[in-house]
Amino acid sequence: MEAQEAEHLLNHLGIPDPFSSRYSPRGIFCTRTLNLRSISAIGYDMDYTLMHYNVAKGMMVKMDVYSIHVIYALTYHLNHLVNSKDGTLVLLFWAYDYCMDNLKNMGFPVDGLSFDPELVIRGLVIDKEKGNLVKADRFGYVKRAMHGTTMLSTQTLSEMYGRELVDLRKESRWEFLNTLFSVSEAVAYMQLVDRLDEGAIATDLGPLDYKGLYKAVGKALFRAHVEGQLKSEIMSKPELFVEPDPELPLALLDQKEAGKKLLLITNSDYHYTEKMMQHSFNRFLPNDMTWRDLFDIVIVSARKPEFFQMAHPMYEVVTGEGLMRPCFKANSGGVYSGGSAQMVEKSLGIQGDEILYVGDHIYTDVSQSKVHLRWRTALICRELEEEYSALVHSRGHRTTLIELINQKELVGDLFNQLRLALQRRSKGRPAQTLAATHMDDKELNESIQKLLIVMQRLDNKIGPMMESDGELFNKRWGFLSRAGLWDKSHLMRQIEKYADIYTSRVSNFLHYTPFMYFRAQEQTLAHDSYSFHHPNHQDADEEQ
């Protein structure tokens, strides 16, 4: 009764209950139970975690420096860019264009190539031995693959990977695409695989195989330089690039006022961090607060993932111009460069699962803080909103597909029973049922032939529907989190393994309280069907 009254009061106050947020693209989803009341400090990454970038404005400003093929690609995909508001594409376009310019200077044939944002998604894996891009399920089995820019058939896929599993520990062969730069790199690489197969790459570049080609593309995309160029442009006019989020500072303010110590731990340098945080936070905070008032400790130039793995010298930023001095302990309200996670723990007097770290990079932010320090973790995955909407709009398609598969299973079971009846009859043994035993050979064979036709017709419907499942998210690769109709993708396995909670943006915390108890949903098992009582079956005790 008290619970019912609490629910009525929540409704009266206009506050959604905590369970309804699960059914929203802005929800926070839990893989391992997390009680925020037990969290003493929350650390945040900055780029693509606390800050996202506005594609429509930023890309329009930079059109004058893009080559014609990039402008064409942008125009073609403009509707996608505006609807998804995925700021990551700014960096993808820039990184790709920079990479292609360098490859051209190195002598590679790149004329006519343009960036295709639909060609590659995060979570895929490059097979550097075969020149393929693959999508694997949670066990490492390859479910879809592309050689160059051509998708491989199911038969080719089976012949090529039927005996192999994707093993990310074998770094010499497999490259996991979990960063923005790696997506740009993969687009360039897959396009050049086509040129290599065509024999269009000059022999004076050396005898290149697929591995050598990958190294050449990686050399052309010098990450540090292109990122530095991009950040200089953003700093000059942040209002043209940064996507404002008025809810974000308020979500962090709730956490701070609830007694959480807030940390900013970013690989960006001091000047960029100061400029961008000031622009994104100060105007939305009350009572003349600034972003610095929110955070107990700020770490810039953190050098993640090494920040979580080993100790580096730490320097305190002592002037607004960024001048620094060596130090050995971080104090509340300070801004520091370098250091290590252990230094932060020592300064706060807390460690391990008392700290929640929130970032967008599955390796640099989430897995390393989890593996080395046992911090609790939250992953920011902006594509989640687009995927959630695509899943909602695909419900009818997936329901119809499952119905057809169930029909085929029924027809197939009958087909197998009749085959078994014929097999037993040839050995002089009765079928499993009297009805099948009494059917003559002609009737059995005619029924089997009819069922074969029915199954073929069902296959003709199921096959194309299986291939198109997930195309509302990406026509080539389907959903980010799924590998086929029934299973999770390799990326989703990584998220479940390392992220306690995941969501599309930090401001989603505003729809919860800083005392929220995130409870993981029950993980169903293959034998959990015992809990569903079939009306035609009696309980074991009733039979006895």
Side-chain angles (χ1 to χ4, degrees):
M1 289 176 63
E2 293 291 342
Q4 289 177 345
E5 289 181 13
E7 183 179 5
H8 292 322
L9 183 55
L10 280 173
N11 293 333
H12 178 71
L13 295 173
I15 301 172
D17 67 76
F19 306 107
S20 64
S21 58
R22 291 178 180 173
Y23 309 104
S24 164
R26 296 283 304 271
I28 296 177
F29 306 98
C30 181
T31 62
R32 181 188 173 208
T33 297
L34 173 65
N35 186 357
L36 286 185
R37 288 194 294 271
S38 66
I39 297 297
S40 302
I42 304 177
Y44 287 100
D45 177 40
M46 186 177 72
D47 293 307
Y48 302 103
T49 298
L50 290 181
M51 197 169 303
H52 291 274
Y53 299 96
N54 189 310
V55 174
K57 289 184 179 179
M59 290 302 291
M60 291 300 183
V61 168
K62 292 305 296 177
M63 267 191 176
D64 59 322
V65 301
Y66 282 149
S67 56
I68 294 299
H69 64 268
V70 174
I71 295 177
Y72 175 80
L74 171 64
T75 304
Y76 182 79
H77 294 286
L78 183 59
N79 187 53
H80 168 78
L81 298 180
V82 172
N83 288 336
S84 68
K85 292 189 182 296
D86 181 6
T88 61
L89 284 172
V90 174
L91 183 53
L92 297 182
F93 271 95
W94 283 36
Y96 175 88
D97 215 29
Y98 176 85
C99 179
M100 285 306 191
D101 284 344
N102 282 348
L103 285 168
K104 186 174 184 178
N105 293 335
M106 293 163 62
F108 283 89
V110 300
D111 291 339
L113 298 178
S114 60
F115 183 75
D116 180 1
E118 296 292 323
L119 188 67
V120 178
I121 61 174
R122 280 202 284 183
L124 302 178
V125 185
I126 292 178
D127 181 349
K128 292 179 280 190
E129 284 187 2
K130 299 180 183 295
N132 294 342
L133 188 63
V134 306
K135 183 176 187 178
D137 65 12
R138 56 183 165 145
F139 303 109
Y141 291 98
V142 176
K143 294 298 184 181
R144 298 189 186 192
M146 181 172 73
H147 181 76
T149 59
T150 303
M151 297 301 291
L152 299 181
S153 67
T154 302
Q155 182 177 348
T156 303
L157 195 68
S158 177
E159 293 171 355
M160 194 171 290
Y161 292 107
R163 296 176 180 269
E164 289 190 285
L165 296 178
V166 172
D167 185 354
L168 298 180
R169 294 171 297 181
K170 297 179 180 178
E171 297 179 0
S172 62
R173 177 173 182 182
W174 306 104
E175 188 72 25
F176 188 49
L177 306 184
N178 60 0
T179 71
L180 304 176
F181 281 112
S182 64
V183 171
S184 297
E185 192 175 41
V187 173
Y189 175 64
M190 301 316 293
Q191 291 173 337
L192 284 177
V193 165
D194 287 340
R195 296 285 166 97
L196 181 63
D197 291 342
E198 294 165 2
I201 297 179
T203 55
D204 57 359
L205 291 173
L208 286 176
D209 58 8
Y210 296 125
K211 272 190 177 182
L213 181 63
Y214 180 80
K215 289 180 180 178
V217 172
K219 183 179 179 180
L221 181 58
F222 183 52
R223 293 170 171 81
H225 186 69
V226 70
E227 188 174 37
Q229 285 187 333
L230 175 63
K231 287 188 173 182
S232 295
E233 289 289 340
I234 294 174
M235 281 181 67
S236 66
K237 294 182 180 179
E239 68 279 1
L240 295 177
F241 291 90
V242 176
E243 180 184 322
D245 189 349
E247 295 181 337
L248 175 56
L250 301 180
L252 269 60
L253 186 59
D254 278 346
Q255 294 172 355
K256 183 175 183 63
E257 292 175 344
K260 313 294 184 188
K261 294 184 183 297
L262 299 187
L263 318 171
L264 178 62
I265 305 173
T266 175
N267 282 354
S268 292
D269 61 38
Y270 168 74
H271 296 289
Y272 185 79
T273 301
E274 170 68 32
K275 179 78 172 181
M276 304 313 294
M277 292 295 290
Q278 180 181 344
H279 172 79
S280 301
F281 276 70
N282 288 5
R283 52 184 163 156
F284 300 122
L285 287 168
N287 305 324
D288 297 323
M289 284 185 67
T290 70
W291 73 274
R292 290 282 298 275
D293 297 319
L294 276 177
F295 294 93
D296 292 80
I297 296 177
V298 174
I299 306 286
V300 300
S301 302
R303 298 175 65 178
K304 296 177 292 180
E306 292 182 7
F307 180 82
F308 299 115
Q309 301 168 347
M310 61 186 72
H312 286 292
M314 184 164 66
Y315 301 87
E316 182 181 8
V317 179
V318 294
T319 69
E321 290 74 32
L323 292 177
M324 297 180 287
R325 65 185 176 196
C327 64
F328 301 97
K329 184 179 180 182
N331 297 311
S332 181
V335 178
Y336 303 90
S337 176
S340 68
Q342 290 85 350
M343 289 180 179
V344 171
E345 289 182 333
K346 186 176 180 180
S347 298
L348 295 174
I350 56 178
Q351 60 181 355
D353 60 7
E354 295 177 88
I355 303 174
L356 171 67
Y357 189 68
V358 186
D360 70 295
H361 196 302
I362 191 69
Y363 176 73
T364 301
D365 295 320
V366 176
S367 75
Q368 295 305 293
S369 59
K370 169 73 69 180
V371 170
H372 293 281
L373 301 162
R374 291 296 184 263
W375 287 7
R376 306 306 300 271
T377 52
L379 180 74
I380 302 300
C381 180
R382 195 56 172 258
E383 300 99 319
L384 192 61
E385 292 179 19
E386 186 181 349
E387 165 144 318
Y388 192 98
S389 297
L391 282 166
V392 170
H393 287 96
S394 300
R395 281 183 299 190
H397 174 92
R398 293 169 72 84
T399 299
T400 301
L401 179 54
I402 291 170
E403 287 177 355
L404 289 171
I405 291 173
N406 289 339
Q407 290 173 13
K408 185 187 174 184
E409 286 183 355
L410 286 171
V411 174
D413 189 54
L414 176 57
F415 173 81
N416 292 334
Q417 290 292 344
L418 296 183
R419 281 190 64 190
L420 180 61
L422 272 179
Q423 175 183 304
R424 288 189 176 186
R425 181 171 296 180
S426 67
K427 302 298 181 181
R429 295 191 294 117
Q432 285 187 313
T433 65
L434 284 174
T437 302
H438 292 152
M439 293 176 70
D440 59 37
D441 290 352
K442 181 181 179 183
E443 189 178 4
L444 275 172
N445 283 308
E446 287 179 350
S447 296
I448 287 173
Q449 292 305 313
K450 288 178 182 178
L451 291 173
L452 275 173
I453 294 172
V454 172
M455 285 192 292
Q456 184 61 53
R457 289 175 178 171
L458 286 168
D459 280 336
N460 292 339
K461 292 181 179 180
I462 291 170
M465 290 186 73
M466 289 284 283
E467 290 181 6
S468 64
D469 183 49
E471 68 178 8
L472 288 179
F473 183 80
N474 185 279
K475 290 185 178 180
R476 288 175 176 262
W477 302 106
F479 295 113
L480 199 73
S481 61
R482 287 164 169 76
L485 184 64
W486 307 111
D487 214 344
K488 301 168 186 174
S489 66
H490 208 59
L491 173 66
M492 195 64 227
R493 170 60 182 144
Q494 298 292 308
I495 292 174
E496 287 187 329
K497 185 175 181 180
Y498 297 115
D500 299 316
I501 56 177
Y502 63 98
T503 189
S504 63
R505 57 182 84 190
V506 173
S507 57
N508 294 343
F509 278 104
L510 190 63
H511 306 300
Y512 300 78
T513 72
F515 324 105
M516 180 68 186
Y517 184 89
F518 291 104
R519 188 178 74 241
Q521 298 183 42
E522 179 187 4
Q523 301 297 301
T524 58
L525 303 173
H527 67 277
D528 281 343
S529 55
Y530 75 88
S531 60
F532 300 99
H533 182 69
H534 195 287
N536 295 330
H537 294 168
Q538 290 182 315
D539 292 334
D541 54 353
E542 291 179 357
E543 291 177 352
Q544 291 176 356

